[in-house]
């Protein structure tokens, strides 16, 4: 999975526990206990291996964020509304419409 530098470092440090994605078919085989390798978008040599602690699938990012109780929010986001706006900017409506759900991975860094 590709990830930007700041979220990768936040996961590595334990400040970010949940990664949010559209529920694309390529992610559907991930299970609790699996390891996932994040690769930094700008520097593919930079990787982070995490263990999946929980999988969460919901119809909308708002539903997912409400369930997560802010655990996955970016440092600069102060509310669920602000995080929803950021995710909806990253994943425009036409892209979100292709998928029935969104998902979150609650993870812990292991390497």
């Amino acid at each position: 999975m590709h990830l930007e530098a700041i979220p990768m470092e936040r996961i590595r440090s334990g400040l970010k526990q949940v990664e949010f994605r559209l529920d694309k078919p390529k992610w559907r085989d991930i299970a609790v206990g699996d390891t996932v390798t994040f690769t930094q978008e700008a520097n593919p040599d930079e990787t982070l291996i995490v263990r999946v602690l929980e999988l969460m699938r919901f119809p909308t990012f708002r539903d997912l964020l409400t369930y997560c109780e802010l655990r996955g929010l970016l440092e600069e986001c102060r509310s669920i509304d602000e995080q929803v706006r950021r995710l909806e900017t990253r994943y425009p409506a036409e892209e979100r419409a292709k998928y029935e759900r969104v998902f979150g991975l609650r993870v812990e860094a292991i390497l």
Side-chain angles (χ1 to χ4, degrees):
M1 282 187 178
H2 290 96
L3 197 59
E4 294 177 0
I6 292 172
M8 181 180 279
E9 284 310 309
R10 290 180 48 81
I11 290 171
R12 187 183 318 274
S13 70
L15 293 173
K16 184 176 195 294
Q17 299 173 18
V18 181
E19 176 59 16
F20 303 102
R21 301 285 170 129
L22 295 175
D23 193 20
K24 295 179 180 180
K26 63 184 175 180
W27 311 132
R28 292 190 186 142
D29 290 335
I30 296 172
V32 171
D34 285 354
T35 57
V36 173
T37 302
F38 288 113
T39 303
Q40 193 180 106
E41 289 179 344
N43 179 6
D45 293 331
E46 181 70 28
T47 62
L48 172 63
I49 299 173
V50 299
R51 178 169 290 108
V52 177
L53 303 175
E54 182 180 5
L55 288 168
M56 301 153 280
R57 288 186 165 86
F58 285 88
T60 68
F61 283 120
R62 180 173 303 284
D63 294 336
L64 177 57
L65 285 158
T66 299
Y67 171 80
C68 290
E69 300 174 345
L70 306 179
R71 289 180 293 186
L73 290 182
L74 296 174
E75 185 174 286
E76 62 272 13
C77 292
R78 301 293 177 225
S79 69
I80 288 175
D81 289 339
E82 186 177 349
Q83 180 69 30
V84 167
R85 281 191 297 276
R86 286 177 181 264
L87 288 165
E88 289 178 348
T89 298
R90 181 171 177 91
Y91 302 108
E94 54 276 1
E95 186 177 1
R96 291 192 316 271
K98 296 176 190 175
Y99 306 98
E100 293 179 14
R101 304 177 295 188
V102 298
F103 86 104
L105 292 170
R106 188 167 63 87
V107 298
E108 67 178 353
I110 57 176
L111 289 177

